[in-house]
Amino acid sequence: MNANLFLALRQGFPQDLDSIAIETDQGLRYSWRDLDRASAMLANWLGSLDLPLGSRIAVQVDKSVEALMLYLATLRAGHVFLPLNSAYQSAELAYFIGDAEPAVVVCSPVNFGWVSKLAFQKGNRYVMTLDEQREGSLLQRAAHHSDQHTPALRRPDDLAAILYTSGTTGRSKGAMLSHANLHSSAQCLHQYWGFAASDVLLHALPIFHVHGLFVAIHAALFSGCSMLWHGKFEPQRVLADLSRATVFMGVPTFYTRLLALTGLNTQACAGMRLFISGSAPMLVDTFTQWQQRTGHTVLERYGMSETLMLTSNPYLDDERFGDPVIARSEATKQAPAKRVGGSVGFPLPGVSLRIADAQNREVPEGEVGSIQVKGANVFAGYWRMPEKTAQEFTSDGFFITGDMGTLDAQGYVRIVGRSKDLIISGGLNVYPVEIEDALNNLPGVLESAVVGVPHPDFGEVGCAFVLAKDGATLDPTALLQALKTQLANFKVPKQCRVIDALPRNAMGKVQKNLLRDMV
Ligand code: AMP
């Protein structure tokens, strides 16, 4: 049997191929037939290059529907899609091209000069261009090819994509994802979150990352539901389109920016069935404010490039805080439970998750440990890094996520931080999230981040960075004093700085390495 993921996605397309699959914020409309035909033409163009199956197709372009078609074409042609953050500069791109040795590089026309020079130096023969206005050499080449294409034969374990980890620390590693990894995750989310052809997904995420590309796009294609496609996240535009959508996926920053708009209210979200958040922790304050303002309870989920989605709060929320309760329990096979702020929910069906100590033994309920996972969704390893890959798996086959967390009596998972962010002060473990939560609850504090910095006596101590709420003035000494009344002294940071903004990467994750550099 052909395990090519494209076939599974194609099966989700509706009967009526002329119905609208995607409507963009530029007013363009694409039918399902357009997706099918254009991806066939692009796949035929790739086929005409006579590349060995499994060649890497590196793509660093601005978000467009054509870039999505190129992804589908890469699957169809049996190659490996390698999306790159459009913010990467030449030194970063040189590393990715050198490491992944792509057969084809597709870049924005404005970057063609430096990208092609770099790619040609590395022996690359095919450097194509594509911009968000459908201009560039890629589509011109594809235009001469047939719009009929039979997907290449792929086995379940053959690679479909490589995602370079966003790398807030250390060198970026290429997570190798197989057709079976992506298929199992898409199928699971489609069912768990109750996706149906009648849904309309508002898509405002970048598509070079697991969230926008695999979680959002796969959920839509697999279900044959249409998408409202925003090139960039612009809060006002998203707010305006909520009335036409049923599902929205975002990083927590999207939610805080939307909350800043006065027009965000129950009426604006009346037709919505589901708001999903992930990629970074959502503050409980944001979660609660969202409930109060919109009547909807955000569903927070957790996953990563290497594993796709791992946990999710329940789709069926027994509190039903205004959520339209949709009778899809049969499809989702879930008992109603509560969506809990500050928790990333339960392990998804098919995912084994344990919280383990340094010897990889499960820790007692409620205790902090390393989050380890197993399942059909877990990646095949890091590209050309067998030793690194081996280090990240336990002898009984669990992947060590690098996240620290807890599991409570009801089975809810909570993330307390990355293991690398753990602060060991005088031999005692300090989890930044605990300190950040305490800081965030102090009057006038909007948000905070705590990092470990070297200390001659304790080895490491915490340094807190805090942001003030609008109109509030913060006194760092008073904040530390207030923490001392709530936390054991060894946990209280030794320094506190008030800053204007936390450095974040494209997915809204706080870049703690940059904060450490500031100290
Ligand atoms: P990436 O591979 O770029 O998607 O990054 C994955 C990492 O993002 C995970 O290992 C977590 O540290 C973090 N992450 C993803 N979702 C969440 C979430 N809902 N809450 C907290 N951290 C998250």
Side-chain angles (χ1 to χ4, degrees), residues 55-56 58 82 94-103 162 164 383-384:
S55 295
R56 274 78 56 212
L82 199 164
Y95 166 71
F96 295 121
I97 292 180
D99 190 51
E101 297 186 314
I162 295 179
Y164 276 90
W383 174 257
R384 291 183 179 163

Side-chain angles (χ1 to χ4, degrees), residues 166-218:
S166 51
T168 45
T169 48
R171 211 176 102 195
S172 199
K173 307 180 286 282
M176 302 191 288
L177 294 159
S178 68
H179 286 260
N181 292 149
L182 295 168
H183 189 168
S184 77
S185 184
Q187 190 160 34
C188 167
L189 299 181
H190 158 78
Q191 283 179 359
Y192 201 78
W193 291 340
F195 266 88
S198 52
D199 275 316
V200 180
L201 174 73
L202 179 43
H203 193 302
L205 289 157
I207 59 167
F208 51 72
H209 184 264
V210 56
H211 197 166
L213 183 61
F214 297 142
V215 183
I217 288 178
H218 281 177

Side-chain angles (χ1 to χ4, degrees), residues 215-257:
V215 183
I217 288 178
H218 281 177
L221 295 183
F222 212 83
S223 320
C225 91
S226 62
M227 284 189 265
L228 295 173
W229 184 270
H230 290 204
K232 288 193 176 68
F233 171 73
E234 286 176 27
Q236 281 290 1
R237 283 184 166 224
V238 166
L239 179 62
D241 260 354
L242 283 180
S243 61
R244 302 198 297 147
T246 64
V247 183
F248 178 69
M249 293 189 194
V251 296
T253 323
F254 286 13
Y255 288 93
T256 50
R257 298 215 179 135

Side-chain angles (χ1 to χ4, degrees), residues 166 209-210 278-281 300-305 344 403 415 418 509:
S166 51
H209 184 264
V210 56
S279 289
E300 184 167 0
R301 94 308 178 269
Y302 153 63
M304 59 199 304
S305 305
V344 292
D403 291 311
I415 295 175
R418 300 281 304 162
K509 294 183 213 296

